[in-house]
Amino acid sequence: MSNHTDLPSNNEDSTQNLGENTDIDLSQNNIEVTEEIHAIDAEDIALDNDMAIEEFFAPSGNTRMADDFRAGYVAIVGRPNVGKSTLMNHLLGQKLSITSRKPQTTRHRIHGILSNHEMQAVFVDTPGIHRNEVRAINERMNKAAVSALVDVDLVLFVVDSDQWRDDDLLTLQKLGETNLTVVLVINKSDTLKDKGSVLPLIETFNDSFDFADIVPVSALKNQNLDRLQEVIASHLPVAAPIYDTEQITDRSERFLASEIIREKIMRSAGDEVPYDLTVQIDEFKDEPAHTDPKTGRPRKACTFIDATIYVERGGQKAIVIGDKGQRIKQVGMDARKDMEQLFGKKIMLTLWVKVKRGWSDDERALTSLGY
């Protein structure tokens, strides 16, 4: 009989006991390590939560804003047909304000919003300031342009590179009655045969007014617009964004639809088009995707727009409709295409043409039509 019964019976048992003890020690170490990992995870989660909250209350743009972010209103003024709307559209990289070769195409103040990580410029595209106020609508357009100068932070005074007219002087006189910071934008600089000829022009303008900056550009060809953006940012106050940084305008889709239709008529008819026309949106109805109850077929989401084009005389109505309705049909197709691109949805457009005699010189009619 052995006197060592309290000892392990063999080496295998010793190994097993050692293994069990080692397992216990390792598991304790794992507990400590796991607790450390959980503590780190908790810190990460708390940090993620803080970032999520900060992102939620921040503007929805993805770009981080500069510490000295600048924001303000920028009025774009000048005589008719000098390229103000084209300039705003190309600065935005988005067609927002309608354009044509016909003077006084823009009739309303239109806000376009340009946002990047350094600034937000809220552009105010105005009707051209002109002397010939022959009708009530002309007077209202001038008032809209001048009133745009109230409470703006900066003015872009747009002139043509090779033409100086009385209406340019009129605009400059209006600006001289304010204390606003004014940047002279010499548009269509690419049309100058002799690029050196712009220098005397700059000197002439500089002698006539105390401009904060002078920037020659070609809005249509996107030339020197980056430099213009830098100049704009330098004159805006340090401030938080005024609008959501993903927003491009404060105008409604109804308004933009009416302007697109009016542009297509003016572009389609050329010199034939009557200036005395306006567009009223009668219905703007969004229909969600659904199954047609009659056919059982699925139908995509669609916006139905009914619009009436008002002219002043029967002969003007015939011009807008065109031979066998071809012009108005093409206007509808072109307008629908632009709307679908701008609004990002399917459009069904119905157009009507009606005579409303004397509307452009009728104060009540102008008010009812949104002027």
Side-chain angles (χ1 to χ4, degrees):
M1 181 178 250
S2 171
N3 294 324
H4 303 285
T5 54
D6 55 332
L7 296 176
S9 57
N10 53 42
N11 290 335
E12 225 176 276
D13 291 336
S14 297
T15 305
Q16 183 178 353
N17 289 339
L18 180 60
E20 289 173 357
N21 292 336
T22 304
D23 288 342
I24 292 172
D25 292 337
L26 287 174
S27 64
Q28 288 173 345
N29 289 337
N30 284 340
I31 291 170
E32 292 174 2
V33 172
T34 304
E35 287 175 348
E36 290 179 6
I37 292 172
H38 286 169
I40 293 171
D41 288 345
E43 290 177 4
D44 290 342
I45 291 169
L47 181 61
D48 289 343
N49 288 341
D50 290 341
M51 292 177 66
I53 292 170
E54 183 179 349
E55 183 179 351
F56 179 81
F57 286 103
S60 60
N62 311 347
T63 318
R64 187 173 184 82
M65 292 187 296
D67 293 335
D68 58 344
F69 190 87
R70 295 170 179 268
Y73 287 90
V74 182
I76 306 176
V77 302
R79 64 173 169 82
N81 207 32
V82 78
K84 300 183 298 297
S85 297
T86 301
L87 177 63
M88 186 181 80
N89 288 342
H90 282 264
L91 283 168
L92 295 174
Q94 171 78 49
K95 184 172 181 178
L96 194 62
S97 191
I98 72 171
T99 60
S100 81
R101 290 174 294 180
K102 199 170 183 64
Q104 300 174 19
T105 301
T106 300
R107 296 180 181 171
H108 307 267
R109 285 187 298 173
I110 299 174
H111 286 180
I113 305 165
L114 171 65
S115 301
N116 56 41
H117 72 285
E118 293 180 344
M119 72 161 181
Q120 182 179 86
V122 183
F123 294 110
V124 186
D125 183 21
T126 63
I129 297 175
H130 52 287
R131 295 184 186 275
N132 193 19
E133 296 183 355
V134 294
R135 299 181 184 176
I137 187 173
N138 300 108
E139 182 181 355
R140 290 203 178 195
M141 287 163 62
N142 267 347
K143 286 181 178 178
V146 174
S147 65
L149 300 177
V150 178
D151 296 329
V152 298
D153 301 284
L154 180 66
V155 176
L156 302 183
F157 175 38
V158 184
V159 299
D160 198 316
S161 63
D162 61 352
Q163 296 182 24
W164 176 261
R165 299 179 181 173
D166 287 343
D167 285 343
D168 292 308
L169 182 59
L170 174 63
T171 306
L172 199 59
Q173 288 173 348
K174 297 290 185 184
L175 293 175
E177 298 169 3
T178 73
N179 294 319
L180 294 168
T181 302
V182 181
V183 171
L184 176 66
V185 180
I186 304 177
N187 193 23
K188 306 177 185 179
S189 297
D190 59 304
T191 61
L192 293 173
K193 295 180 180 179
D194 179 12
K195 301 302 179 184
S197 63
V198 77
L199 296 177
L201 185 65
I202 290 175
E203 290 180 6
T204 301
F205 282 124
N206 215 15
D207 291 340
S208 62
F209 193 89
D210 186 18
F211 293 106
D213 272 293
I214 299 178
V215 185
V217 304
S218 170
L220 192 61
K221 295 188 177 179
N222 287 322
Q223 292 179 359
N224 216 28
L225 296 189
D226 289 343
R227 169 60 184 157
L228 180 57
Q229 286 192 37
E230 292 173 1
V231 169
I232 291 169
S234 70
H235 291 293
L236 293 181
V238 175
I242 301 166
Y243 294 95
D244 188 296
T245 54
E246 292 184 352
Q247 193 171 342
I248 62 167
T249 185
D250 64 342
R251 283 290 194 171
S252 69
E253 289 184 341
R254 293 177 70 100
F255 171 81
L256 295 174
S258 69
E259 288 289 273
I260 289 171
I261 295 166
R262 188 164 64 87
E263 179 196 56
K264 298 311 174 188
I265 298 169
M266 298 182 77
R267 283 181 170 271
S268 171
D271 293 336
E272 290 184 85
V273 69
Y275 175 74
D276 309 320
L277 68 85
T278 191
V279 178
Q280 177 175 285
I281 302 299
D282 302 312
E283 184 176 33
F284 196 105
K285 182 181 178 182
D286 290 317
E287 184 179 271
H290 65 285
T291 300
D292 191 313
K294 294 181 179 179
T295 64
R297 295 179 179 177
R299 297 186 62 176
K300 295 181 179 179
C302 183
T303 296
F304 292 84
I305 301 175
D306 289 353
T308 300
I309 301 161
Y310 287 105
V311 295
E312 295 203 329
R313 295 185 295 277
Q316 296 172 342
K317 179 177 178 180
I319 292 174
V320 173
I321 292 174
D323 184 31
K324 298 180 180 179
Q326 287 303 306
R327 173 166 290 152
I328 195 66
K329 180 180 179 181
Q330 188 63 49
V331 164
M333 291 170 60
D334 294 342
R336 180 174 55 80
K337 183 179 178 181
D338 271 18
M339 289 180 201
E340 289 182 341
Q341 183 175 359
L342 181 61
F343 303 151
K345 53 188 175 184
K346 183 176 175 60
I347 301 293
M348 291 293 290
L349 178 63
T350 304
L351 298 176
W352 307 88
V353 183
K354 295 182 180 180
V355 176
K356 193 178 184 73
R357 299 187 184 278
W359 71 265
S360 64
D361 204 25
D362 185 326
E363 296 287 352
R364 291 181 62 185
L366 288 170
T367 300
S368 68
L369 290 169
Y371 290 92

PDB file of all heavy atoms in Angstrom, residues 27 36 48 60 86 101 141 145 147 167 171 180 189 200 202 236 281 292 354 362:
ATOM      1  N   SER A  27      -8.832  32.534 -18.637  1.00  0.00           N
ATOM      2  CA  SER A  27     -10.187  33.083 -18.681  1.00  0.00           C
ATOM      3  C   SER A  27     -10.273  34.369 -17.882  1.00  0.00           C
ATOM      4  O   SER A  27     -10.978  35.302 -18.240  1.00  0.00           O
ATOM      5  CB  SER A  27     -11.193  32.058 -18.158  1.00  0.00           C
ATOM      6  OG  SER A  27     -10.942  31.779 -16.796  1.00  0.00           O
ATOM      7  N   GLU A  36     -11.826  45.857 -20.994  1.00  0.00           N
ATOM      8  CA  GLU A  36     -11.154  46.998 -21.617  1.00  0.00           C
ATOM      9  C   GLU A  36     -11.751  47.301 -22.986  1.00  0.00           C
ATOM     10  O   GLU A  36     -11.971  48.443 -23.353  1.00  0.00           O
ATOM     11  CB  GLU A  36      -9.659  46.701 -21.756  1.00  0.00           C
ATOM     12  CG  GLU A  36      -8.915  46.687 -20.420  1.00  0.00           C
ATOM     13  CD  GLU A  36      -7.440  46.354 -20.599  1.00  0.00           C
ATOM     14  OE1 GLU A  36      -7.009  46.249 -21.760  1.00  0.00           O
ATOM     15  OE2 GLU A  36      -6.746  46.219 -19.594  1.00  0.00           O
ATOM     16  N   ASP A  48     -19.613  58.445 -31.594  1.00  0.00           N
ATOM     17  CA  ASP A  48     -20.474  58.335 -32.774  1.00  0.00           C
ATOM     18  C   ASP A  48     -21.802  59.038 -32.547  1.00  0.00           C
ATOM     19  O   ASP A  48     -22.344  59.698 -33.441  1.00  0.00           O
ATOM     20  CB  ASP A  48     -20.716  56.856 -33.125  1.00  0.00           C
ATOM     21  CG  ASP A  48     -19.456  56.187 -33.687  1.00  0.00           C
ATOM     22  OD1 ASP A  48     -18.543  56.926 -34.087  1.00  0.00           O
ATOM     23  OD2 ASP A  48     -19.405  54.951 -33.696  1.00  0.00           O
ATOM     24  N   SER A  60     -27.560  70.070 -44.275  1.00  0.00           N
ATOM     25  CA  SER A  60     -27.534  68.711 -44.801  1.00  0.00           C
ATOM     26  C   SER A  60     -26.450  68.462 -45.843  1.00  0.00           C
ATOM     27  O   SER A  60     -26.321  67.365 -46.332  1.00  0.00           O
ATOM     28  CB  SER A  60     -28.894  68.375 -45.420  1.00  0.00           C
ATOM     29  OG  SER A  60     -29.174  69.269 -46.471  1.00  0.00           O
ATOM     30  N   THR A  86     -27.957  84.543 -67.518  1.00  0.00           N
ATOM     31  CA  THR A  86     -26.947  83.571 -67.952  1.00  0.00           C
ATOM     32  C   THR A  86     -25.824  83.478 -66.934  1.00  0.00           C
ATOM     33  O   THR A  86     -25.338  82.384 -66.619  1.00  0.00           O
ATOM     34  CB  THR A  86     -26.383  83.984 -69.324  1.00  0.00           C
ATOM     35  OG1 THR A  86     -27.451  84.046 -70.269  1.00  0.00           O
ATOM     36  CG2 THR A  86     -25.340  82.980 -69.807  1.00  0.00           C
ATOM     37  N   ARG A 101     -32.587  85.893 -76.311  1.00  0.00           N
ATOM     38  CA  ARG A 101     -31.947  87.073 -76.886  1.00  0.00           C
ATOM     39  C   ARG A 101     -32.840  88.301 -76.784  1.00  0.00           C
ATOM     40  O   ARG A 101     -32.409  89.411 -77.015  1.00  0.00           O
ATOM     41  CB  ARG A 101     -31.596  86.807 -78.351  1.00  0.00           C
ATOM     42  CG  ARG A 101     -30.460  85.813 -78.526  1.00  0.00           C
ATOM     43  CD  ARG A 101     -30.250  85.477 -79.977  1.00  0.00           C
ATOM     44  NE  ARG A 101     -31.389  84.766 -80.535  1.00  0.00           N
ATOM     45  CZ  ARG A 101     -31.467  84.351 -81.795  1.00  0.00           C
ATOM     46  NH1 ARG A 101     -30.467  84.611 -82.628  1.00  0.00           N
ATOM     47  NH2 ARG A 101     -32.522  83.700 -82.230  1.00  0.00           N
ATOM     48  N   MET A 141     -41.446  96.073 -63.236  1.00  0.00           N
ATOM     49  CA  MET A 141     -40.155  95.411 -63.401  1.00  0.00           C
ATOM     50  C   MET A 141     -39.028  96.285 -62.865  1.00  0.00           C
ATOM     51  O   MET A 141     -38.107  95.807 -62.206  1.00  0.00           O
ATOM     52  CB  MET A 141     -39.930  95.065 -64.882  1.00  0.00           C
ATOM     53  CG  MET A 141     -40.788  93.905 -65.371  1.00  0.00           C
ATOM     54  SD  MET A 141     -40.892  93.794 -67.176  1.00  0.00           S
ATOM     55  CE  MET A 141     -39.192  93.509 -67.607  1.00  0.00           C
ATOM     56  N   ALA A 145     -36.498  95.477 -59.696  1.00  0.00           N
ATOM     57  CA  ALA A 145     -35.036  95.514 -59.796  1.00  0.00           C
ATOM     58  C   ALA A 145     -34.431  96.416 -58.733  1.00  0.00           C
ATOM     59  O   ALA A 145     -33.452  96.055 -58.073  1.00  0.00           O
ATOM     60  CB  ALA A 145     -34.625  95.989 -61.189  1.00  0.00           C
ATOM     61  N   SER A 147     -35.842  97.467 -55.876  1.00  0.00           N
ATOM     62  CA  SER A 147     -36.117  96.978 -54.523  1.00  0.00           C
ATOM     63  C   SER A 147     -35.209  95.831 -54.129  1.00  0.00           C
ATOM     64  O   SER A 147     -35.017  95.538 -52.947  1.00  0.00           O
ATOM     65  CB  SER A 147     -37.587  96.540 -54.399  1.00  0.00           C
ATOM     66  OG  SER A 147     -37.856  95.426 -55.238  1.00  0.00           O
ATOM     67  N   ASP A 167     -29.047 103.066 -70.429  1.00  0.00           N
ATOM     68  CA  ASP A 167     -29.608 102.270 -69.338  1.00  0.00           C
ATOM     69  C   ASP A 167     -28.520 101.778 -68.377  1.00  0.00           C
ATOM     70  O   ASP A 167     -28.786 101.542 -67.201  1.00  0.00           O
ATOM     71  CB  ASP A 167     -30.390 101.069 -69.886  1.00  0.00           C
ATOM     72  CG  ASP A 167     -31.748 101.481 -70.456  1.00  0.00           C
ATOM     73  OD1 ASP A 167     -32.196 102.595 -70.136  1.00  0.00           O
ATOM     74  OD2 ASP A 167     -32.341 100.699 -71.216  1.00  0.00           O
ATOM     75  N   THR A 171     -28.609 102.576 -64.346  1.00  0.00           N
ATOM     76  CA  THR A 171     -28.340 101.594 -63.287  1.00  0.00           C
ATOM     77  C   THR A 171     -27.255 102.096 -62.352  1.00  0.00           C
ATOM     78  O   THR A 171     -27.361 101.979 -61.126  1.00  0.00           O
ATOM     79  CB  THR A 171     -27.919 100.245 -63.897  1.00  0.00           C
ATOM     80  OG1 THR A 171     -28.892  99.813 -64.842  1.00  0.00           O
ATOM     81  CG2 THR A 171     -27.767  99.191 -62.809  1.00  0.00           C
ATOM     82  N   LEU A 180     -23.902 100.540 -50.938  1.00  0.00           N
ATOM     83  CA  LEU A 180     -23.612  99.128 -51.105  1.00  0.00           C
ATOM     84  C   LEU A 180     -22.234  98.894 -51.720  1.00  0.00           C
ATOM     85  O   LEU A 180     -21.717  99.740 -52.451  1.00  0.00           O
ATOM     86  CB  LEU A 180     -24.683  98.481 -51.992  1.00  0.00           C
ATOM     87  CG  LEU A 180     -26.097  98.435 -51.406  1.00  0.00           C
ATOM     88  CD1 LEU A 180     -27.098  98.050 -52.487  1.00  0.00           C
ATOM     89  CD2 LEU A 180     -26.157  97.444 -50.258  1.00  0.00           C
ATOM     90  N   SER A 189     -16.568  89.171 -72.363  1.00  0.00           N
ATOM     91  CA  SER A 189     -15.192  89.599 -72.646  1.00  0.00           C
ATOM     92  C   SER A 189     -14.555  88.763 -73.743  1.00  0.00           C
ATOM     93  O   SER A 189     -13.588  89.192 -74.384  1.00  0.00           O
ATOM     94  CB  SER A 189     -14.348  89.511 -71.372  1.00  0.00           C
ATOM     95  OG  SER A 189     -14.849  90.385 -70.385  1.00  0.00           O
ATOM     96  N   PRO A 200      -8.529  99.738 -71.170  1.00  0.00           N
ATOM     97  CA  PRO A 200      -9.079 101.094 -71.130  1.00  0.00           C
ATOM     98  C   PRO A 200     -10.520 101.130 -70.639  1.00  0.00           C
ATOM     99  O   PRO A 200     -10.932 102.077 -69.966  1.00  0.00           O
ATOM    100  CB  PRO A 200      -8.984 101.561 -72.594  1.00  0.00           C
ATOM    101  CG  PRO A 200      -7.952 100.703 -73.215  1.00  0.00           C
ATOM    102  CD  PRO A 200      -8.039  99.387 -72.507  1.00  0.00           C
ATOM    103  N   ILE A 202     -11.856  99.091 -68.447  1.00  0.00           N
ATOM    104  CA  ILE A 202     -11.795  98.957 -66.996  1.00  0.00           C
ATOM    105  C   ILE A 202     -11.429 100.289 -66.356  1.00  0.00           C
ATOM    106  O   ILE A 202     -12.025 100.702 -65.342  1.00  0.00           O
ATOM    107  CB  ILE A 202     -10.781  97.862 -66.602  1.00  0.00           C
ATOM    108  CG1 ILE A 202     -11.323  96.473 -66.979  1.00  0.00           C
ATOM    109  CG2 ILE A 202     -10.464  97.919 -65.108  1.00  0.00           C
ATOM    110  CD1 ILE A 202     -10.348  95.342 -66.750  1.00  0.00           C
ATOM    111  N   LEU A 236     -18.474  88.947 -48.710  1.00  0.00           N
ATOM    112  CA  LEU A 236     -19.619  88.531 -47.908  1.00  0.00           C
ATOM    113  C   LEU A 236     -19.239  88.490 -46.425  1.00  0.00           C
ATOM    114  O   LEU A 236     -18.091  88.205 -46.091  1.00  0.00           O
ATOM    115  CB  LEU A 236     -20.124  87.159 -48.355  1.00  0.00           C
ATOM    116  CG  LEU A 236     -20.741  87.074 -49.751  1.00  0.00           C
ATOM    117  CD1 LEU A 236     -21.211  85.647 -50.039  1.00  0.00           C
ATOM    118  CD2 LEU A 236     -21.900  88.054 -49.895  1.00  0.00           C
ATOM    119  N   ILE A 281     -50.048  79.036 -64.147  1.00  0.00           N
ATOM    120  CA  ILE A 281     -50.227  77.609 -63.845  1.00  0.00           C
ATOM    121  C   ILE A 281     -51.595  77.425 -63.198  1.00  0.00           C
ATOM    122  O   ILE A 281     -51.868  77.953 -62.126  1.00  0.00           O
ATOM    123  CB  ILE A 281     -49.115  77.102 -62.907  1.00  0.00           C
ATOM    124  CG1 ILE A 281     -47.735  77.324 -63.531  1.00  0.00           C
ATOM    125  CG2 ILE A 281     -49.326  75.613 -62.591  1.00  0.00           C
ATOM    126  CD1 ILE A 281     -47.502  76.619 -64.841  1.00  0.00           C
ATOM    127  N   ASP A 292     -53.339  51.193 -61.777  1.00  0.00           N
ATOM    128  CA  ASP A 292     -54.517  51.726 -62.467  1.00  0.00           C
ATOM    129  C   ASP A 292     -55.718  50.835 -62.154  1.00  0.00           C
ATOM    130  O   ASP A 292     -55.701  49.630 -62.441  1.00  0.00           O
ATOM    131  CB  ASP A 292     -54.268  51.750 -63.978  1.00  0.00           C
ATOM    132  CG  ASP A 292     -55.330  52.532 -64.722  1.00  0.00           C
ATOM    133  OD1 ASP A 292     -56.519  52.318 -64.444  1.00  0.00           O
ATOM    134  OD2 ASP A 292     -54.955  53.354 -65.578  1.00  0.00           O
ATOM    135  N   LYS A 354     -54.934  81.682 -74.503  1.00  0.00           N
ATOM    136  CA  LYS A 354     -56.125  82.517 -74.416  1.00  0.00           C
ATOM    137  C   LYS A 354     -55.756  83.991 -74.583  1.00  0.00           C
ATOM    138  O   LYS A 354     -54.635  84.403 -74.278  1.00  0.00           O
ATOM    139  CB  LYS A 354     -56.828  82.327 -73.071  1.00  0.00           C
ATOM    140  CG  LYS A 354     -57.388  80.924 -72.856  1.00  0.00           C
ATOM    141  CD  LYS A 354     -58.120  80.827 -71.534  1.00  0.00           C
ATOM    142  CE  LYS A 354     -58.676  79.421 -71.322  1.00  0.00           C
ATOM    143  NZ  LYS A 354     -59.399  79.306 -70.026  1.00  0.00           N
ATOM    144  N   ASP A 362     -52.661  96.535 -67.037  1.00  0.00           N
ATOM    145  CA  ASP A 362     -53.781  96.492 -66.082  1.00  0.00           C
ATOM    146  C   ASP A 362     -53.240  96.102 -64.717  1.00  0.00           C
ATOM    147  O   ASP A 362     -52.772  94.975 -64.527  1.00  0.00           O
ATOM    148  CB  ASP A 362     -54.816  95.471 -66.583  1.00  0.00           C
ATOM    149  CG  ASP A 362     -56.071  95.440 -65.724  1.00  0.00           C
ATOM    150  OD1 ASP A 362     -55.968  95.646 -64.494  1.00  0.00           O
ATOM    151  OD2 ASP A 362     -57.148  95.187 -66.276  1.00  0.00           O
TER     152      ASP A 362
END
